[in-house]
Amino acid sequence: MLGKKLREVLGSEKVKDSQSWRLSYAYDGTPTGYRGVPDVVVFPETTEDVAKILAFASEEGIPVYPRGAGSGLTGGAAPLEGGIVVSTEKMNSIVEIDEDNLGVLVEPGVVTYDLQVEVEKRGLFYPPDPSSYKYSTIGGNIAENAGGPRCVKYGVTKDYVMQLEVVFADGTVAKVGSKAVKSVAGYNLKDLIVGSEGTLAFITKAYLKLIPKPEAVRTALAVFPKVEQAAQAVADMFKAKVIPTACEFLDKNSIVAVERYAKIGLPTYAEGLLIIEVDGYEAVVDELISRAVEVCKAAGAEEIKTAATKQEREALWMARRAVSPAIVQLKPKKINEDVVVPRSRIPELIKNVYRIADKYNLMVVNFGHAGDGNIHVNFMYEPHEADRVEQAVREVFELTVALEGSISGEHGIGWMKKEFLPLEVGPALEKMKAVKRALDPKNILNPGKVFDL
Amino acid sequence: MLGKKLREVLGSEKVKDSQSWRLSYAYDGTPTGYRGVPDVVVFPETTEDVAKILAFASEEGIPVYPRGAGSGLTGGAAPLEGGIVVSTEKMNSIVEIDEDNLGVLVEPGVVTYDLQVEVEKRGLFYPPDPSSYKYSTIGGNIAENAGGPRCVKYGVTKDYVMQLEVVFADGTVAKVGSKAVKSVAGYNLKDLIVGSEGTLAFITKAYLKLIPKPEAVRTALAVFPKVEQAAQAVADMFKAKVIPTACEFLDKNSIVAVERYAKIGLPTYAEGLLIIEVDGYEAVVDELISRAVEVCKAAGAEEIKTAATKQEREALWMARRAVSPAIVQLKPKKINEDVVVPRSRIPELIKNVYRIADKYNLMVVNFGHAGDGNIHVNFMYEPHEADRVEQAVREVFELTVALEGSISGEHGIGWMKKEFLPLEVGPALEKMKAVKRALDPKNILNPGKVFDL
């Protein structure tokens, strides 16, 4: 029925509503399984297609669920109420790489890694690097305002989105933002839409900022007996005027898990491990990595390795890359929260996360982007421990807010965290809802995400 | 009457409504004189004061005009419809400099320069540097999303605002954004409010990002026979991986005006002059300025000077700093537009601005932040030429939009440019209005600015 109408609107090849298609597009990257099955999945090829879909859905009051690669971790793509899943898979062109202005125009379905490869061929660089970058799409990255290890130096996805072409809920096509480097003409709807998880507008094109590719990279790995020492090193790094490209942290449980899994010689007595990477001009990277090493020594690091070649660097990064595969061997289930605190509060955060884990008798593993204060808190558990995990997670969020942090640095709210959003945003929540009602009065765009109206 | 009621709300010392106070706060920095006289001027000292004022004004439906230093150039602070001017003069504390997290908490009335001096004492750096920075306030800078020469490398005010405490039109006090480096919890109201020119919320506190102060600076001045050569040099600079701290441009008329005024030996045959500044680590600034010089030579520069000491640098900057005092001697009146285009479109912009000036028989002077593509187009005129200037300005805006640029890079829309906003933002304008109605349903916050409802 809905499929039939949409075939009239779009033509039949772009519309799928068999059981197998519907089930395939019910799932996304969230570890809890699917929530809701779409009535139909559509594959627009142009902005006009998207405008037709939204005008139709708006007219009929049917929920629309935008979907990139479906790799989100908080259920952003889940079709909670059925309706129409709109996949960007067929809108996947890199339209133009503008070398003169350091910009690139892309469709939303372009995979982030594919974009990076193309621009790096030209000596250019698109920094945002969420863990999913080899399969997640630019459209999804923008909708979630994705981060990644390099964001400590280079900023998040938002910082690279200059202009968007979007379709609003009523089918209006508009450009927001500017191809010019600066613009203060009217309200900044662009940065409002970035990170709004597909609830305010559907992104049909993005003009992204590029930067020159850094000339050189150096990497160091430092091991600290005490977690406070690692945190101190992170804070001191910035004081020594080293803004690292990446500054990744592993706690004791991560180190032990990685060592058991990969046997790469990490000292399992250590409470903290940092991987520090710097990049920039050839003339300066050696000095920067020396400064970083000095900072780590002064803070109490006991073992420090540095790497200059790509191969050596890969070896150091193994410690970080092995974390995810290593920890899933610890317990059958995990819940991964990505809280962020001001850098100086990292020791308090970690200590109190351990306290909470002890209180609920749970295993917890902490690692992540220490340079940003963004720590992935992973509770590893057996199915029967789920209730305790839920209580522990709530305490972690309360702790994070008490430390003036944020309950999500990268993964978004989706449906999974919406009950916790008021903890952080307080009275601003009603204003967010007012904005949602203003831009999507019928609540058809990704309903049930971020908050309930 | 209004004064009496507000005295009841705030106490009498914070409320002024004599003729002299009212007239003093009718003016701002726009060159066209005042528009509207407030009924009363109030000087809140706390967030609670502001909340009381807005709750009262909302209840009574009285317009509220937030005001920093009143140095805006598009009439942002003008009390068009009378009502209440709310000055931030008494909310001018630097509350806390957080050296561990590279942040600073300030009240909105802090003068930008005062903040910069304080943080630089600690080896820290707040980059945004609008020309008005010695007297304009952080609150005003945030409301306008102020730029400045250094923004080509460091970004604009928005890029340094991490969290705001604001009062919404109905008196609701809320925090938006986060003290954490990354946050994707809920809608990004923070970046919506930055640059909204006081029309969406009143800023009562700002937590700003700081960076380590660059260790070293180098400056060069290059003179080009042809304007295209200067523009080429700007584009090539980025390709040579030199992101300049500043990349300022003067056109032929600016050069001639400066030389007549300051007699510093500029070659008046030249169509373009660039001042390029680089900063960063000691180990790299000499190499960067050499690369910049090579790029300028290759593009056709005929005279190049470089400077390393502060004194030498000041001498080169004289050419730029003398522009404003020099050009006001050319004609009794000027109108200064700050259009922005993608960098590669600068030659087209300049050529066509000259064509428009010829068409209307007007004198035009172009200078500005070439690294950003942000050119200040100044028509210098006699009072009787005002009608032609108005037509020329409209053509410049149409040209800018045709070149995929923005009608304002730094100065905002205020009341002066609101008739031109639809040229640039098109169908997004209705969505901006919907957001305004959602957050300020009675239209009491700075009504008549940015657009009319």
Side-chain angles (χ1 to χ4, degrees):
Chain A
M1 165 75 176
L2 182 55
K4 183 162 174 284
K5 284 191 185 169
L6 278 164
R7 282 186 185 90
E8 285 164 21
V9 173
L10 290 177
S12 59
E13 330 76 60
K14 299 175 189 168
V15 180
K16 305 287 179 192
D17 57 359
S18 70
Q19 177 86 341
S20 56
W21 281 102
R22 292 169 54 222
L23 281 179
S24 303
Y25 284 81
Y27 284 90
D28 70 358
T30 50
T32 47
Y34 73 94
R35 290 255 176 146
V37 178
D39 295 307
V40 58
V41 187
V42 297
F43 299 88
E45 294 176 10
T46 62
T47 302
E48 292 64 41
D49 284 347
V50 175
K52 281 182 198 166
I53 295 162
L54 284 173
F56 168 80
S58 185
E59 186 67 31
E60 308 269 330
I62 298 166
V64 169
Y65 294 92
R67 182 184 174 98
S71 54
L73 296 172
T74 54
L80 300 181
E81 302 174 14
I84 309 167
V85 162
V86 183
S87 168
T88 59
E89 277 164 83
K90 294 197 175 167
M91 298 176 75
N92 64 349
S93 299
I94 298 175
V95 182
E96 188 200 356
I97 298 177
D98 182 352
E99 295 187 55
D100 282 331
N101 293 302
L102 303 189
V104 58
L105 182 66
V106 296
E107 292 185 324
V110 170
V111 169
T112 304
Y113 179 71
D114 294 344
L115 170 69
Q116 289 172 333
V117 168
E118 278 309 306
V119 303
E120 288 183 29
K121 284 180 191 166
R122 291 159 176 83
L124 299 173
F125 191 49
Y126 176 73
D129 57 343
S131 308
S132 58
Y133 74 117
K134 289 210 171 166
Y135 44 91
S136 64
T137 63
I138 289 290
N141 287 184
I142 294 171
E144 300 290 323
N145 191 14
R150 291 200 289 235
C151 294
V152 55
K153 175 169 178 181
Y154 290 110
V156 292
T157 300
K158 167 171 87 81
D159 300 310
Y160 293 86
V161 178
M162 295 178 67
Q163 188 176 53
L164 295 174
E165 180 192 76
V166 298
V167 182
F168 285 99
D170 60 3
T172 301
V173 178
K175 286 182 179 170
V176 295
S178 177
K179 281 191 176 178
V181 174
K182 297 192 285 194
S183 171
V184 290
Y187 292 166
N188 181 0
L189 298 184
K190 185 259 290 176
D191 283 328
L192 176 67
I193 291 169
V194 176
S196 67
E197 306 194 22
T199 64
L200 295 180
F202 193 107
I203 297 157
T204 50
K205 280 200 191 73
Y207 185 82
L208 305 171
K209 172 181 159 175
L210 303 173
I211 61 174
K213 191 164 188 291
E215 294 179 351
V217 184
R218 297 289 182 275
T219 307
L221 181 152
V223 172
F224 299 85
K226 295 282 166 203
V227 67
E228 293 82 359
Q229 296 168 327
Q232 190 60 49
V234 174
D236 290 347
M237 202 82 67
F238 290 83
K239 289 187 187 168
K241 307 199 179 200
V242 180
I243 307 286
T245 315
C247 183
E248 296 291 299
F249 166 79
L250 273 65
D251 77 346
K252 186 177 175 63
N253 285 348
S254 310
I255 297 167
V256 170
V258 167
E259 186 52 28
R260 279 193 201 147
Y261 172 80
K263 300 185 181 57
I264 52 177
L266 298 181
T268 51
Y269 70 86
E271 282 184 14
L273 180 154
L274 290 179
I275 295 174
I276 298 133
E277 195 154 277
V278 297
D279 69 7
Y281 300 104
E282 283 288 358
V284 86
V285 286
D286 286 323
E287 183 181 329
L288 292 184
I289 203 73
S290 304
R291 286 192 205 180
V293 166
E294 284 311 309
V295 164
C296 290
K297 275 187 196 159
E302 294 207 339
E303 297 182 34
I304 303 178
K305 293 178 191 168
T306 58
T309 68
K310 193 170 176 183
Q311 208 175 0
E312 289 169 354
R313 285 171 37 221
E314 286 299 321
L316 298 190
W317 273 101
M318 255 306 283
R320 173 67 176 85
R321 296 198 212 287
V323 175
S324 289
I327 66 173
V328 294
Q329 310 222 329
L330 300 174
K331 295 267 184 175
K333 294 185 82 72
K334 91 169 173 179
I335 187 154
N336 171 12
E337 301 301 348
D338 78 317
V339 299
V340 205
V341 292
R343 275 186 295 268
S344 69
R345 318 298 290 267
I346 293 175
E348 275 172 275
L349 175 72
I350 305 264
K351 268 192 187 254
N352 281 289
V353 166
Y354 288 149
R355 185 184 52 71
I356 293 165
D358 280 348
K359 174 174 168 187
Y360 293 103
N361 193 22
L362 292 167
M363 172 179 281
V364 72
V365 183
N366 300 292
F367 62 93
H369 318 311
D372 283 337
N374 187 188
I375 302 294
H376 297 305
V377 174
N378 291 262
F379 287 104
M380 312 305 303
Y381 63 103
E382 309 284 342
H384 70 86
E385 297 178 301
D387 287 351
R388 278 184 280 135
V389 170
E390 208 169 292
Q391 290 173 285
V393 164
R394 172 166 282 274
E395 286 200 28
V396 169
F397 287 148
E398 287 167 350
L399 166 68
T400 302
V401 171
L403 295 174
E404 301 191 281
S406 176
I407 64 170
S408 182
E410 306 184 325
H411 299 172
I413 301 300
W415 62 261
M416 285 189 71
K417 295 194 198 178
K418 64 186 176 183
E419 67 173 294
F420 304 112
L421 184 63
L423 280 179
E424 178 173 342
V425 304
L429 183 60
E430 285 309 312
K431 304 303 174 186
M432 294 179 190
K433 290 183 181 179
V435 168
K436 168 71 172 172
R437 286 190 201 100
L439 295 181
D440 180 15
K442 293 185 177 175
N443 194 23
I444 61 160
L445 270 172
N446 213 3
K449 307 299 167 63
V450 188
F451 44 71
D452 288 311
L453 283 177
Chain B
M1 165 77 177
L2 183 54
K4 183 163 175 285
K5 283 191 185 167
L6 278 163
R7 283 187 185 89
E8 285 165 20
V9 174
L10 290 176
S12 59
E13 331 75 61
K14 299 174 189 168
V15 181
K16 304 288 178 189
D17 58 358
S18 70
Q19 177 85 340
S20 55
W21 281 102
R22 292 168 54 223
L23 282 177
S24 302
Y25 284 80
Y27 285 90
D28 70 358
T30 50
T32 49
Y34 72 94
R35 291 254 175 146
V37 177
D39 296 307
V40 58
V41 186
V42 298
F43 299 88
E45 294 176 10
T46 61
T47 302
E48 292 64 41
D49 284 346
V50 175
K52 282 182 198 166
I53 295 162
L54 284 173
F56 167 79
S58 186
E59 185 68 30
E60 307 268 330
I62 299 166
V64 169
Y65 294 93
R67 182 184 175 97
S71 54
L73 296 172
T74 54
L80 300 180
E81 303 173 13
I84 308 167
V85 163
V86 183
S87 167
T88 59
E89 278 164 80
K90 294 196 174 166
M91 298 176 75
N92 64 348
S93 298
I94 299 175
V95 181
E96 189 199 356
I97 298 176
D98 182 352
E99 295 185 56
D100 282 332
N101 293 302
L102 302 188
V104 57
L105 182 66
V106 295
E107 292 185 323
V110 170
V111 170
T112 305
Y113 178 72
D114 294 345
L115 169 69
Q116 289 172 333
V117 168
E118 278 310 306
V119 303
E120 289 184 30
K121 284 180 191 165
R122 291 159 176 83
L124 300 172
F125 192 48
Y126 176 73
D129 58 343
S131 308
S132 58
Y133 73 116
K134 289 211 170 167
Y135 44 93
S136 63
T137 63
I138 289 291
N141 288 183
I142 294 170
E144 301 290 321
N145 190 15
R150 291 199 290 235
C151 294
V152 56
K153 176 168 177 181
Y154 290 109
V156 293
T157 300
K158 167 171 86 82
D159 301 309
Y160 294 86
V161 178
M162 295 178 67
Q163 187 176 54
L164 295 174
E165 178 191 79
V166 298
V167 183
F168 286 98
D170 60 3
T172 302
V173 178
K175 285 182 181 172
V176 295
S178 177
K179 280 190 176 179
V181 175
K182 297 193 284 195
S183 171
V184 291
Y187 292 166
N188 181 0
L189 298 184
K190 185 259 289 176
D191 283 328
L192 177 67
I193 290 169
V194 176
S196 68
E197 307 194 21
T199 65
L200 295 180
F202 193 107
I203 297 157
T204 50
K205 279 200 192 72
Y207 185 81
L208 306 171
K209 172 181 160 176
L210 303 173
I211 61 174
K213 191 164 188 289
E215 294 178 351
V217 183
R218 296 290 182 274
T219 307
L221 182 152
V223 172
F224 298 85
K226 296 282 164 203
V227 66
E228 293 83 359
Q229 296 169 327
Q232 191 60 48
V234 174
D236 291 347
M237 202 82 66
F238 290 82
K239 289 187 187 169
K241 307 199 178 198
V242 180
I243 307 286
T245 315
C247 182
E248 295 291 300
F249 166 78
L250 274 64
D251 77 347
K252 185 177 174 62
N253 286 347
S254 309
I255 296 168
V256 170
V258 167
E259 186 52 28
R260 277 192 200 147
Y261 173 79
K263 299 186 182 56
I264 52 177
L266 299 181
T268 51
Y269 70 86
E271 283 184 14
L273 180 154
L274 291 179
I275 296 174
I276 299 134
E277 195 154 278
V278 298
D279 68 8
Y281 301 104
E282 283 288 356
V284 85
V285 286
D286 286 323
E287 183 181 329
L288 291 184
I289 204 72
S290 305
R291 285 192 204 180
V293 166
E294 285 312 309
V295 163
C296 289
K297 275 187 195 158
E302 293 208 340
E303 298 181 33
I304 303 177
K305 293 177 189 169
T306 58
T309 69
K310 192 168 177 187
Q311 208 174 1
E312 289 169 351
R313 284 172 39 223
E314 285 300 321
L316 299 189
W317 273 101
M318 254 306 282
R320 174 68 176 85
R321 294 199 212 287
V323 175
S324 290
I327 66 174
V328 294
Q329 310 221 328
L330 300 174
K331 295 266 184 176
K333 292 184 84 71
K334 90 169 175 180
I335 188 154
N336 171 12
E337 300 303 347
D338 79 317
V339 300
V340 206
V341 292
R343 274 187 296 269
S344 70
R345 317 300 290 268
I346 293 176
E348 275 172 277
L349 176 73
I350 305 264
K351 266 191 191 252
N352 282 290
V353 165
Y354 288 150
R355 184 184 52 72
I356 293 164
D358 281 348
K359 175 174 167 186
Y360 293 103
N361 193 24
L362 292 167
M363 171 179 280
V364 71
V365 182
N366 300 291
F367 62 93
H369 317 313
D372 284 336
N374 187 189
I375 302 293
H376 296 305
V377 175
N378 291 261
F379 288 105
M380 311 305 301
Y381 63 104
E382 308 284 341
H384 70 85
E385 297 178 301
D387 286 352
R388 277 183 281 134
V389 170
E390 209 168 290
Q391 290 173 287
V393 164
R394 172 167 282 274
E395 286 200 28
V396 168
F397 287 149
E398 286 167 351
L399 167 68
T400 303
V401 171
L403 295 173
E404 301 191 281
S406 175
I407 64 169
S408 183
E410 305 185 325
H411 300 172
I413 301 299
W415 60 263
M416 285 189 71
K417 296 195 196 175
K418 64 186 175 183
E419 67 173 294
F420 304 112
L421 184 63
L423 280 178
E424 179 173 341
V425 304
L429 183 60
E430 284 310 312
K431 303 305 174 186
M432 293 179 189
K433 290 183 181 178
V435 167
K436 167 71 173 173
R437 286 189 200 101
L439 295 182
D440 180 15
K442 295 186 176 173
N443 193 23
I444 62 160
L445 269 172
N446 213 3
K449 307 299 167 62
V450 188
F451 45 69
D452 289 311
L453 282 175

